[in-house]
Amino acid sequence: MLSSKVSSGSHGEDSSYFLGWQEYEKNPFHETLNPNGIVQMGLAENQLSFDLIEAWLEEHPEVLGLKKNEESVFRRLALFQDYHGMPDFKNALAKFMAKIRGNKMKFDTSKMVLTAGSTSANETVMFCLADPGDAFLIPAPYYPGFDRDLKWRTGVEIVPIRCVSSNGYKITEVALEEAYERAHKLKLNVRGVLITNPSNPLGTSTTREELDLLLTFTSSKNIHMVSDEIYSGTVFYSPEFTSILEVAKDKNMDLDKKIHVVYSLSKDLGLPGFRVGLIYSDNEEVVSAATKMSSFGLISSQTQHLLANLLSDEIFTTNYLEKNRKRLRERRDRLVMGLKKAGIGCLKSNAGLFCWVDLRHLLNSNTFESEHSLWKKIVCEVGINISPGSSCHCDEPGWFRVCFANMSDQALDVAMERVKFFVEPIAMSTYGGNQKRTMWDSRRRSLINKWVSKLSSGNYESER
Amino acid sequence: MDLFSRKATCNSHGQDSSYFLGWEEYEKNPYDVIKNPHGIIQMGLAENQLCFDLLESWLAQNPDAACFKRDGQSIFRELALFQDYHGLSSFKNALANFMSENRGNRVSFDSNNLVLTAGATSANETLMFCLADPGDAFLLPTPYYPGFDRDLKWRTGVEIIPIQCSSTNGFRITKLALEEAYEQAKKLNLNVKGVLITNPSNPLGTTTTRTEFSILLDFISRNKYMHLVSDEIYSGTVFNSSEFISVMEILKNKQLENTDVFNRVHIVYSLSKDLGLPGFRVGAIYSNDKDVISAATKMSSFGLVSSQTQYLLSSLLSDKKFSKNYLRENQKRLKNRQRKLVSGLAAMGIRSLKSNAGLFCWVDMRHLLISKTFEAEKHLWKEIVYDVKLNISPGSSCHCEEPGWFRVCFANMSEDTLKLALKRLKKFVDDGNSKRRYHISESQRLKGSTKKTMTTVSNWVFRLSFHDREAEER
């Protein structure tokens, strides 16, 4: 009676990524009201710099009051539904995006399409570039939401590019070709590659070499390159953020018309509720089609007006980007240190709102069942919601995404204490005289020994 | 290999129609009382600009709503982070109540059955994604809103089959027309998933009658897999509340609430027309089917309403004193403005379909056509855009099957501008009349037949009282 999109359950929302949230909703941590509740570390939100925006709002009351030079702008805004977007807002966004990239490039507002969040932008890009049954290659692990955003209503398939921990999850030529072949074996027509740079869930910015490799690959196959750069403003350690557009320009590919960027203010500015996303493309046909499609998800003019004013303030944006980066860096270091104290390491990261944490040594067995059972323990017994790697399509069991920017320092410390407390008995039994050793205990012990030595070596050190 | 999807390269976005081309001409040469007094007057845009003063005064008295404050406390962070696709519950409650008020509280709406979307454009597309697969079809009475060709069909792959309505019976949906449309779909091997109506109608400006509802509900009762979608975005523009019958009210009156038909009727709503806020992107789907609500809620991720806007409007609509007064005043002003247009047109011999709602009139200019063809209609439309300098929407862009009808909007300009528009049109008609009278008298002389002159106003179309309407509905 209803469409197949409804009955097939292909919205992807039954994955554990969403189930963890549900558990949290039932029993959320609160410093004073519910100190034993579940600490939410599965939500990639940036709550660290609201005070900066609030201060700006205090200083500019006329903006929220819908006034400009004492005149009401209410009517103009109420009627403004032009899918080309508010010019002031697009200009401000162009400047902001350029600033994030160290002003090494300029953005042309005529190549910009505004959408209600990057969720809408990503789906729209798929509708423009691919037909049902076509495929996009995406490096795994990737953001679980893509299974819904890119595939559900578009009918497009995702074929993962397998990235592994042994080389720090770098994208390799072999992996790209392998994914391409796999797609062909599945009789899928590959239309492009989509990356998230900086990566969610890894928290690493894509290197210049990888970007160069990707463009060489997409160019040779005559397919599209989509770069989701929604975390570009969260890079807090070197290497500096390099946009695909920069590398394209260096390779003289910038007029290829097959390179597209997605952006949003949900992560950098911490404003997911305002639904601000965009597509940036050199390709006039894509811009034209995407602009018309944006009718299905326009940004509220009230919101465009507010943010046009906020982002036009250069003093504010410079200060914000700098402070935001610093706070993210400090918070991430706090998480990494806390985990280190519990004998847990993570992938060396330089961006994002989360760390990619290695809990392989805590698994019963090197399986996803074991990962799932560890995850459940962490949610229900330890009281922390984190995202298991399997929900991000990671090939290897035991990795988890742990967010750090959506809570207070205190909540983070509580979470770290709980983790330490959870892991300690394992460490104790390693060094204590407990004769009752199970197979599991000895396996854990050997992994922890290896782990402890690894912590002092190159891979995980320079946390600064 | 093609570089883009078929959706991007094909023209099924429907935006090459004259509906949009007229706008383009207007954009090049827009009327402005001071800066461009000879420019094109926009009468092709169904916007409601008549009650902004009421909204502005409410905003001035309630500054917290737009300033992220609740009881003097900042809730900026809460709103900045709020992206729950279930929507802000205070807003949904206020919206559900507002929708009830719009229907004279004859029906009530459960906010749990509401899904918020970025405008009715998003709501309509989302419903299609939920109810139909590519290649399925929905039946729509003609004439219909040109935007449906994009909104319902483009990315969904759903087809529209018109239910041909004609001026001979005031464009009412008949059982015959409905069945013909169904047969037509079958001939084209299309699986019909239901009917979509706009009530009140765009472009007609009329409310759906009980008779029409009976026909429609009977149709979907007999066909167990069919849905009825009622786009009620103009519900607050009915000049007299008691005349608007929502599909929900019909279901209640017919005691269909515990039948499966109840789950196959869905409503689309928006604040773009009633409140005149198209820029804020506020739409909603209302359904009693839990699966539809569940799927549509997830799909709304692709077009959520800004939390900043949800909060502002939850405050506005929760103010019952405001909403009652607004609805009443809005209806009054729209009714007055419609009368001015209708009487102005009547004075130059142009009739309009008797309407009781909407932001436009469905105007009969068949007598001004050179011939009874769509080419003639297009020719007339171009004359009106370029020579008379009025942008109005030709019936063909609304899939009307008879040439010569035009949708003329009246709520998106000042009264003076409307007067000017009527003055320009009168001059055009008078000039044309003298030319036509010459031709007619020539042909009369030749053929010896009589023909009505353009200046006769036919009584069956134009009436200001609504007593006759009530009689025909019972």
Side-chain angles (χ1 to χ4, degrees):
Chain A
M1 194 175 71
L2 301 178
S3 70
S4 54
K5 282 176 183 59
V6 173
S7 41
S8 66
S10 51
H11 49 72
E13 284 192 31
D14 294 327
S15 83
S16 47
Y17 180 69
F18 296 97
L19 293 171
W21 289 23
Q22 286 168 15
E23 281 309 305
Y24 166 77
E25 292 292 321
K26 291 185 210 163
N27 182 22
F29 171 84
H30 185 276
E31 281 90 341
T32 44
L33 300 171
N34 191 20
N36 294 321
I38 297 177
V39 179
Q40 175 64 285
M41 300 187 87
L43 206 46
E45 281 175 355
N46 181 0
Q47 296 192 25
L48 304 189
S49 302
F50 282 139
D51 58 316
L52 303 176
I53 300 177
E54 282 168 328
W56 187 92
L57 290 172
E58 285 289 309
E59 287 161 28
H60 300 82
E62 75 286 358
V63 175
L64 287 179
L66 303 177
K67 282 194 161 54
K68 191 177 182 170
N69 302 325
E70 306 279 307
E71 293 278 306
S72 168
V73 293
F74 172 73
R75 284 180 198 222
R76 187 170 64 79
L77 292 179
L79 293 171
F80 186 87
Q81 55 171 331
D82 183 354
Y83 55 27
H84 293 104
M86 218 169 262
D88 286 350
F89 184 39
K90 288 170 81 172
N91 285 332
L93 274 168
K95 279 207 284 243
F96 188 63
M97 288 172 76
K99 193 173 276 191
I100 286 173
R101 291 154 182 75
N103 286 316
K104 281 179 271 172
M105 51 192 310
K106 270 186 142 59
F107 286 85
D108 177 351
T109 57
S110 69
K111 298 176 181 175
M112 214 185 261
V113 181
L114 299 181
T115 62
S118 63
T119 300
S120 181
N122 278 317
E123 192 200 38
T124 298
V125 168
M126 288 300 110
F127 270 125
C128 288
L129 303 182
D131 288 307
D134 287 342
F136 255 76
L137 310 182
I138 301 186
Y142 62 78
Y143 164 55
F146 280 155
D147 289 324
R148 176 196 62 192
D149 301 351
L150 306 181
K151 293 171 56 170
W152 190 19
R153 305 191 307 179
T154 60
V156 172
E157 283 301 327
I158 293 176
V159 174
I161 300 163
R162 296 198 168 114
C163 298
V164 290
S165 58
S166 52
N167 77 336
Y169 295 96
K170 295 276 173 270
I171 298 165
T172 64
E173 196 177 342
V174 169
L176 281 169
E177 291 290 349
E178 196 270 318
Y180 191 78
E181 280 311 306
R182 209 172 343 114
H184 275 266
K185 281 209 186 80
L186 294 167
K187 304 234 184 316
L188 297 168
N189 193 15
V190 177
R191 298 306 282 256
V193 176
L194 186 146
I195 62 168
T196 307
N197 172 27
S199 162
N200 173 10
L202 302 178
T204 51
S205 55
T206 314
T207 61
R208 213 169 254 276
E209 292 71 35
E210 287 172 290
L211 294 171
D212 192 284
L213 170 67
L214 283 159
L215 286 177
T216 302
F217 177 78
T218 54
S219 171
S220 69
K221 309 279 190 225
N222 194 28
I223 58 179
H224 294 275
M225 180 70 231
V226 180
S227 180
D228 183 339
E229 302 187 349
I230 69 171
Y231 290 97
S232 47
T234 68
V235 179
F236 44 75
Y237 274 131
S238 72
E240 248 184 2
F241 173 67
T242 310
S243 168
I244 193 91
L245 296 171
E246 208 186 317
V247 177
K249 196 161 167 218
D250 293 342
K251 285 168 82 75
N252 290 321
M253 279 177 71
D254 47 335
L255 297 173
D256 257 24
K257 301 191 184 297
K258 290 198 294 293
I259 301 168
H260 324 276
V261 169
V262 165
Y263 186 55
S264 160
L265 298 180
S266 300
K267 309 297 177 184
D268 294 347
L269 283 191
L271 306 173
F274 290 3
R275 313 316 302 147
V276 180
L278 65 91
I279 298 165
Y280 188 84
S281 173
D282 243 313
N283 190 307
E284 299 89 8
E285 284 191 64
V286 170
V287 170
S288 172
T291 300
K292 294 178 177 70
M293 286 189 189
S294 70
S295 305
F296 300 111
L298 295 175
I299 303 175
S300 168
S301 57
Q302 181 194 14
T303 301
Q304 292 192 50
H305 173 74
L306 166 62
L307 297 174
N309 280 278
L310 182 77
L311 296 182
S312 296
D313 186 337
E314 298 266 11
I315 297 174
F316 168 80
T317 54
T318 303
N319 181 49
Y320 180 92
L321 286 171
E322 193 189 304
K323 286 218 165 82
N324 183 47
R325 282 179 185 129
K326 178 167 175 273
R327 294 173 185 188
L328 287 171
R329 180 174 63 235
E330 284 167 359
R331 184 55 80 80
R332 174 269 198 186
D333 287 349
R334 204 181 180 105
L335 170 68
V336 170
M337 201 45 49
L339 290 171
K340 193 172 176 179
K341 286 194 186 130
I344 295 172
C346 20
L347 182 68
K348 192 168 100 178
S349 67
N350 68 326
L353 309 175
F354 32 72
C355 281
W356 188 238
V357 178
D358 189 353
L359 298 181
R360 289 177 293 176
H361 59 297
L362 299 179
L363 294 181
N364 274 344
S365 59
N366 189 20
T367 61
F368 286 111
E369 288 75 30
S370 185
E371 178 187 276
H372 191 75
S373 106
L374 174 61
W375 171 73
K376 272 208 237 172
K377 229 181 228 167
I378 293 174
V379 174
C380 303
E381 291 174 24
V382 185
I384 303 175
N385 181 36
I386 59 180
S387 311
S390 51
S391 68
C392 304
H393 299 275
C394 183
D395 256 354
E396 304 156 85
W399 290 86
F400 290 77
R401 188 191 79 167
V402 180
C403 299
F404 56 71
N406 63 303
M407 80 244 352
S408 63
D409 276 344
Q410 189 192 350
L412 179 60
D413 291 343
V414 165
M416 291 301 95
E417 275 303 304
R418 290 183 188 179
V419 168
K420 194 154 166 282
F421 188 69
F422 171 67
V423 168
E424 226 156 51
I426 303 163
M428 287 299 288
S429 70
T430 302
Y431 299 111
N434 191 342
Q435 291 304 310
K436 235 167 121 185
R437 292 201 198 287
T438 59
M439 271 280 280
W440 188 54
D441 281 346
S442 28
R443 182 177 159 76
R444 268 189 299 182
R445 185 190 43 185
S446 66
L447 279 171
I448 283 183
N449 283 343
K450 194 165 88 181
W451 198 254
V452 168
S453 61
K454 213 169 189 177
L455 278 175
S456 62
S457 79
N459 280 350
Y460 298 98
E461 57 165 39
S462 31
E463 315 295 25
R464 299 195 198 90
Chain B
M1 185 184 65
D2 293 330
L3 205 52
F4 309 111
S5 67
R6 281 190 286 275
K7 283 178 185 57
T9 48
C10 72
N11 282 328
S12 52
H13 49 69
Q15 285 192 210
D16 295 327
S17 82
S18 48
Y19 181 69
F20 296 98
L21 293 172
W23 288 24
E24 283 170 21
E25 281 311 307
Y26 165 78
E27 291 293 321
K28 290 183 209 165
N29 181 21
Y31 169 81
D32 181 282
V33 60
I34 299 163
K35 292 184 239 174
N36 190 18
H38 301 292
I40 298 178
I41 296 175
Q42 177 63 283
M43 300 187 89
L45 204 47
E47 280 174 354
N48 180 0
Q49 296 191 25
L50 303 191
C51 292
F52 281 139
D53 58 314
L54 301 177
L55 293 165
E56 282 168 328
S57 100
W58 186 91
L59 283 171
Q61 289 161 26
N62 300 272
D64 278 7
C67 299
F68 299 119
K69 285 201 168 74
R70 186 196 289 138
D71 304 325
Q73 296 290 319
S74 171
I75 53 165
F76 169 74
R77 292 181 191 216
E78 189 189 311
L79 290 175
L81 293 171
F82 186 84
Q83 55 171 332
D84 183 353
Y85 56 26
H86 293 104
L88 205 61
S89 47
S90 57
F91 179 44
K92 283 171 72 172
N93 288 334
L95 190 60
N97 286 334
F98 186 68
M99 287 169 73
S100 291
E101 256 190 272
N102 238 338
R103 291 153 182 75
N105 289 309
R106 294 184 293 272
V107 277
S108 67
F109 291 90
D110 179 353
S111 61
N112 291 316
N113 292 349
L114 260 180
V115 179
L116 299 178
T117 61
T121 301
S122 181
N124 278 316
E125 193 199 39
T126 297
L127 258 188
M128 288 301 107
F129 271 125
C130 289
L131 304 179
D133 286 309
D136 287 343
F138 257 79
L139 311 180
L140 265 67
T142 64
Y144 63 76
Y145 163 56
F148 280 152
D149 289 323
R150 176 196 63 191
D151 300 352
L152 307 181
K153 294 171 52 170
W154 190 18
R155 307 190 306 181
T156 60
V158 171
E159 284 300 328
I160 293 176
I161 298 293
I163 301 166
Q164 304 288 13
C165 298
S166 103
S167 60
T168 51
N169 75 336
F171 295 94
R172 292 287 167 217
I173 300 166
T174 63
K175 189 161 178 231
L176 182 63
L178 181 55
E179 277 164 9
E180 268 174 15
Y182 182 68
E183 288 308 314
Q184 170 69 1
K186 279 192 20 206
K187 274 202 195 92
L188 295 168
N189 277 325
L190 297 169
N191 189 22
V192 177
K193 291 313 282 279
V195 180
L196 187 145
I197 61 169
T198 308
N199 173 30
S201 161
N202 173 13
L204 303 176
T206 53
T207 49
T208 310
T209 62
R210 285 181 200 279
T211 312
E212 288 174 295
F213 273 126
S214 287
I215 295 168
L216 291 164
L217 287 171
D218 181 58
F219 180 72
I220 68 162
S221 296
R222 284 186 283 121
N223 295 289
K224 294 289 174 201
Y225 299 103
M226 292 220 201
H227 300 267
L228 175 61
V229 178
S230 182
D231 183 339
E232 301 190 348
I233 69 170
Y234 290 97
S235 48
T237 68
V238 183
F239 309 147
N240 191 338
S241 289
S242 61
E243 296 191 8
F244 175 60
I245 312 164
S246 168
V247 70
M248 286 298 158
E249 203 186 325
I250 296 284
L251 289 171
K252 191 174 162 188
N253 292 347
K254 285 182 183 271
Q255 290 172 326
L256 291 170
E257 276 146 314
N258 291 314
T259 66
D260 79 294
V261 171
F262 196 58
N263 288 358
R264 293 189 275 120
V265 174
H266 322 279
I267 289 181
V268 166
Y269 188 54
S270 158
L271 297 180
S272 300
K273 309 297 177 182
D274 294 348
L275 284 191
L277 304 173
F280 289 5
R281 314 314 304 146
V282 181
I285 294 167
Y286 188 87
S287 175
N288 296 302
D289 185 313
K290 294 282 172 264
D291 291 332
V292 170
I293 291 298
S294 171
T297 300
K298 295 177 176 69
M299 286 190 188
S300 70
S301 305
F302 301 110
L304 294 174
V305 180
S306 167
S307 58
Q308 178 192 18
T309 302
Q310 289 192 53
Y311 181 64
L312 169 62
L313 296 174
S314 76
S315 293
L316 181 84
L317 296 181
S318 299
D319 185 340
K320 292 263 167 73
K321 193 163 158 230
F322 167 81
S323 58
K324 260 198 175 64
N325 180 53
Y326 181 94
L327 284 172
R328 196 178 44 229
E329 196 54 34
N330 186 46
Q331 287 169 340
K332 192 169 127 205
R333 295 180 188 186
L334 287 171
K335 185 175 178 176
N336 277 339
R337 188 58 81 80
Q338 183 252 27
R339 269 189 207 192
K340 288 197 159 68
L341 173 64
V342 170
S343 57
L345 290 171
M348 55 182 105
I350 297 177
R351 308 177 289 203
S352 359
L353 182 68
K354 196 168 95 182
S355 67
N356 62 337
L359 310 175
F360 32 73
C361 282
W362 188 237
V363 177
D364 185 356
M365 298 202 200
R366 288 176 293 176
H367 58 295
L368 298 177
L369 296 180
I370 299 170
S371 61
K372 207 173 157 187
T373 61
F374 285 112
E375 288 73 31
E377 178 186 278
K378 187 132 190 213
H379 177 79
L380 175 60
W381 172 71
K382 277 198 190 150
E383 279 188 298
I384 294 175
V385 172
Y386 294 107
D387 301 340
V388 188
K389 302 257 182 25
L390 302 179
N391 181 37
I392 61 178
S393 311
S396 51
S397 69
C398 304
H399 300 274
C400 185
E401 59 161 13
E402 301 159 73
W405 291 87
F406 290 78
R407 188 190 78 167
V408 180
C409 299
F410 56 71
N412 64 306
M413 71 212 50
S414 70
E415 212 173 297
D416 286 340
T417 307
L418 179 61
K419 281 194 185 121
L420 174 61
L422 288 168
K423 192 170 150 197
R424 287 183 187 177
L425 191 58
K426 185 162 193 304
K427 182 169 187 300
F428 170 74
V429 169
D430 288 344
D431 288 349
N433 273 346
S434 54
K435 285 188 206 142
R436 257 172 247 115
R437 248 181 250 125
Y438 171 77
H439 284 298
I440 286 165
S441 59
E442 278 297 296
S443 67
Q444 275 177 347
R445 203 166 54 81
L446 293 167
K447 288 182 187 172
S449 62
T450 42
K451 233 184 172 169
K452 267 195 205 161
T453 65
M454 306 311 128
T455 50
T456 306
V457 179
S458 161
N459 286 336
W460 71 268
V461 169
F462 173 59
R463 256 190 263 259
L464 283 171
S465 88
F466 298 98
H467 298 309
D468 289 346
R469 285 195 70 79
E470 288 170 72
E472 101 201 9
E473 283 169 32
R474 300 263 186 291

